[in-house]
Amino acid sequence: MYKKSNIVILFFLFVWSCSIPSTNIEMTSDSTEIKSDKISEENIQDLSGIQFFMDGMMFMEQGEYSRAIIEFQEAIEKGSNSAEVYHSISEGYWMIQKYEKSISYAQKAIEKDPISSDYKISLGKKYIALNDLESSLDIFEELSKTDTDNAEILFIIGDLKSELNDIDGALIYYQEAYDKDNSLTLALEVAAKLAIDANHRDKTLIIKKLLLSEPSNPEYLKLYIESISQINSLDEIESLLSNKELQSNPFINNLYNQLAYQYLRNGYYDQSEEFFERSLEINSTDRFALYYLSTLYRESGKFDQSIELSEKHINSYPDDKEGYINKSISLLSLQRFDMVVEELSIALKIFPEDFEVNYFLGLAYYSLKEFVNAEDFYKKALSLDTNSIPAMHALAMVYDQNEKWDQSDKLYTDLITINTKDAQAYNNYAYSLIERNEDVEYALTLAKKAIELSPKTSSYLDTIGWIYFKLNDFDKAKEFIGEAIVYDDTSSVVLEHYGDVLIELNEIDEALIFYKKALELDEENMKLIEKISNHNSRACLLYTSP
């Protein structure tokens, strides 16, 4: 059985959409006699058409679409040829998959009632189903000019333009749909996804609009954070924080993190610190903030604060090596080499195959002058990253200390071959050769190349000066090593070299000044202590001699 209530409703809709002529009633002049109504043949046909229409609707509900079409066509023949009848025939043909006829009758329905948007929407959707997107777009764009407040139509146009790969157009219509109806956040969600997938230039603006539609939504804030790039205005991002509803977003500390990170990338270190600190006020164990704020503190010389955060990082995330590395670098800066070995020995048990852990252990042992241990860890580091230039340099230097010169020479040669502008490799190779008094002329050639590449590097100036010292050219030695001290007077080796040059030039008093400065930097250097003692005695003899 069909549903009577639906039929009644459709009946009234049908009657409302059709024009039914008034019943003709004849009246006599005799007040005592009223003649019966005369229903015209035209009216009888029209009422008969309504019945056929109702029967058609009944068959439609029962799924007998072919029979329904026949009834609707009978309705038209009987005079009920409203737009609704043609639309119903179109629906019937659609259900039996006779799409051309369905489209034809849908167009006739629109011809009968060009004002109603319902028939146009129905035809537009049929075109979509048939994948005739251009025809559908024409219909909906025309509708949008007359039905200007219909957000759903704008949404559909956005979808169509998206399917037709008109990304700019689609994004405009999705946003217009939301602007017409602010409850239609789905339009912004679809626009955001499209913009992300297309990596569209306006993706961050669209996602920001989505976020502002519901500032407390953590997924929207997450999307916004992920869309932030280096070119985004930092002031624009920071302005979001004035939104009180956004402050209640459970993802807010991540916005602080990203804002801090953008400030860091743009070189605004004070602002970066501020927002990382604000992030940690909300979540004291946020891994991202702990790592970067610890790094910032270290770079600005706040080593104790850096170490404190690194320790919190390690305690909160013991399986994350970054906490150990950050703490170790701060300790290296403070020259607490024993503590570095202790810290990284713990990390080594967790990350035995990690390059950084092995590399920094090698550096700590090298700084402690435990060169055998340093060699082991530098070799391990290089085996983990065979292309690491820093590891090659470090291992070459430790081979020097362990007097494995064939291996150090090979590494220096490899480094120069890899990069003919590696000034450090030229310099270190030259210094290695001159310290063992081998191939002095070649050492000088290498040193000159280093100076050519980097003329203001203190250690390189010291090397070439030291080579001239070995060649007994003390004036040139004094010139280069003196210049080295101008650029950096914190190296005990350079200061000692300058003292040695001054001794050869018989400038003993000045030499002692530089020896003593060197000793202040290297208090356990027995050779320096001996030099000072010997030359102090010599100076005394010079002063007391007749």
Side-chain angles (χ1 to χ4, degrees), residues 481-523:
I481 300 175
E483 190 178 355
I485 293 172
V486 170
Y487 289 115
D488 182 8
D489 62 355
T490 62
S491 169
S492 64
V493 173
V494 177
L495 292 169
E496 183 181 356
H497 283 171
Y498 196 59
D500 291 343
V501 172
L502 293 172
I503 291 295
E504 294 297 330
L505 292 171
N506 206 31
E507 299 175 23
I508 298 173
D509 287 343
E510 193 175 356
L512 285 170
I513 292 171
F514 283 94
Y515 280 153
K516 288 174 183 178
K517 285 183 178 180
L519 189 61
E520 288 174 6
L521 297 169
D522 188 3
E523 295 176 353

Side-chain angles (χ1 to χ4, degrees), residues 228-290:
I228 294 173
S229 67
Q230 194 170 7
I231 62 172
N232 292 126
S233 166
L234 291 166
D235 291 338
E236 179 187 338
I237 299 169
E238 192 171 344
S239 70
L240 278 174
L241 299 176
S242 62
N243 187 303
K244 292 182 179 179
E245 192 177 349
L246 188 66
Q247 293 296 324
S248 65
N249 193 302
F251 214 65
I252 186 65
N253 78 293
N254 290 281
L255 181 59
Y256 290 144
N257 282 343
Q258 287 302 315
L259 188 53
Y261 183 65
Q262 292 303 317
Y263 275 124
L264 176 62
R265 291 178 65 180
N266 284 276
Y268 300 113
Y269 303 119
D270 290 341
Q271 293 93 326
S272 183
E273 278 190 19
E274 176 191 345
F275 282 102
F276 277 129
E277 287 168 349
R278 289 174 69 176
S279 173
L280 289 173
E281 286 173 6
I282 297 171
N283 180 2
S284 63
T285 60
D286 185 277
R287 186 187 311 218
F288 190 87
L290 285 171

Side-chain angles (χ1 to χ4, degrees), residues 381-393:
L382 188 57
S383 72
L384 293 167
D385 183 357
T386 56
N387 296 317
S388 170
I389 300 301
M392 292 175 72
H393 274 289

Side-chain angles (χ1 to χ4, degrees), residues 36-97:
S36 300
D37 293 348
K38 287 186 177 181
I39 302 175
S40 69
E41 184 179 344
E42 181 182 349
N43 255 350
I44 292 172
Q45 287 180 337
D46 194 32
L47 291 172
S48 174
I50 293 172
Q51 185 59 53
F52 279 115
F53 175 79
M54 291 181 64
D55 290 343
M57 294 303 296
M58 177 187 70
F59 287 123
M60 284 287 284
E61 288 201 0
Q62 292 175 347
E64 296 185 35
Y65 304 115
S66 296
R67 183 71 182 274
I69 291 168
I70 293 171
E71 297 296 323
F72 291 140
Q73 288 172 335
E74 287 286 346
I76 292 172
E77 289 180 7
K78 297 299 182 182
S80 295
N81 61 348
S82 67
E84 185 63 25
V85 179
Y86 285 100
H87 172 70
S88 298
I89 295 174
S90 171
E91 295 296 290
Y93 276 124
W94 186 264
M95 297 306 294
I96 61 175
Q97 299 181 21

Side-chain angles (χ1 to χ4, degrees), residues 264 269-270 272-280 287-300 302 305-306 309-310 326:
L264 176 62
Y269 303 119
D270 290 341
S272 183
E273 278 190 19
E274 176 191 345
F275 282 102
F276 277 129
E277 287 168 349
R278 289 174 69 176
S279 173
L280 289 173
R287 186 187 311 218
F288 190 87
L290 285 171
Y291 171 74
Y292 278 104
L293 187 55
S294 174
T295 302
L296 273 168
Y297 283 154
R298 188 185 74 237
E299 293 295 326
S300 60
K302 301 175 185 177
Q305 289 170 270
S306 176
L309 285 183
S310 296
N326 242 352

Side-chain angles (χ1 to χ4, degrees), residues 226-433:
E226 290 172 351
S227 75
I228 294 173
S229 67
Q230 194 170 7
I231 62 172
N232 292 126
S233 166
L234 291 166
D235 291 338
E236 179 187 338
I237 299 169
E238 192 171 344
S239 70
L240 278 174
L241 299 176
S242 62
N243 187 303
K244 292 182 179 179
E245 192 177 349
L246 188 66
Q247 293 296 324
S248 65
N249 193 302
F251 214 65
I252 186 65
N253 78 293
N254 290 281
L255 181 59
Y256 290 144
N257 282 343
Q258 287 302 315
L259 188 53
Y261 183 65
Q262 292 303 317
Y263 275 124
L264 176 62
R265 291 178 65 180
N266 284 276
Y268 300 113
Y269 303 119
D270 290 341
Q271 293 93 326
S272 183
E273 278 190 19
E274 176 191 345
F275 282 102
F276 277 129
E277 287 168 349
R278 289 174 69 176
S279 173
L280 289 173
E281 286 173 6
I282 297 171
N283 180 2
S284 63
T285 60
D286 185 277
R287 186 187 311 218
F288 190 87
L290 285 171
Y291 171 74
Y292 278 104
L293 187 55
S294 174
T295 302
L296 273 168
Y297 283 154
R298 188 185 74 237
E299 293 295 326
S300 60
K302 301 175 185 177
F303 297 115
D304 290 338
Q305 289 170 270
S306 176
I307 290 168
E308 182 183 349
L309 285 183
S310 296
E311 287 173 346
K312 185 177 285 189
H313 190 156
I314 292 166
N315 291 332
S316 301
Y317 309 99
D319 293 334
D320 185 354
K321 72 162 186 175
E322 298 302 340
Y324 300 97
I325 297 299
N326 242 352
K327 182 178 179 182
S328 297
I329 295 173
S330 290
L331 290 170
L332 283 167
S333 300
L334 294 170
Q335 298 187 1
R336 298 175 188 171
F337 306 121
D338 287 326
M339 293 180 68
V340 176
V341 170
E342 181 182 342
E343 194 68 38
L344 290 179
S345 294
I346 297 169
L348 188 67
K349 294 176 183 176
I350 308 171
F351 315 104
E353 300 299 309
D354 183 79
F355 170 82
E356 287 184 302
V357 172
N358 283 277
Y359 178 83
F360 284 117
L361 262 171
L363 179 56
Y365 278 119
Y366 188 91
S367 301
L368 289 167
K369 298 186 169 130
E370 296 183 26
F371 300 120
V372 174
N373 285 331
E375 180 182 328
D376 290 339
F377 286 106
Y378 280 144
K379 284 171 67 176
K380 178 67 174 178
L382 188 57
S383 72
L384 293 167
D385 183 357
T386 56
N387 296 317
S388 170
I389 300 301
M392 292 175 72
H393 274 289
L395 187 55
M397 290 170 64
V398 85
Y399 278 147
D400 263 337
Q401 294 294 336
N402 292 332
E403 299 184 358
K404 297 181 178 180
W405 291 305
D406 287 345
Q407 289 163 283
S408 65
D409 288 354
K410 182 181 183 307
L411 277 174
Y412 287 133
T413 302
D414 289 345
L415 285 164
I416 293 167
T417 302
I418 292 168
N419 179 9
T420 58
K421 295 185 178 181
D422 189 338
Q424 185 182 355
Y426 288 112
N427 176 76
N428 290 1
Y429 194 6
Y431 194 76
S432 174
L433 290 171

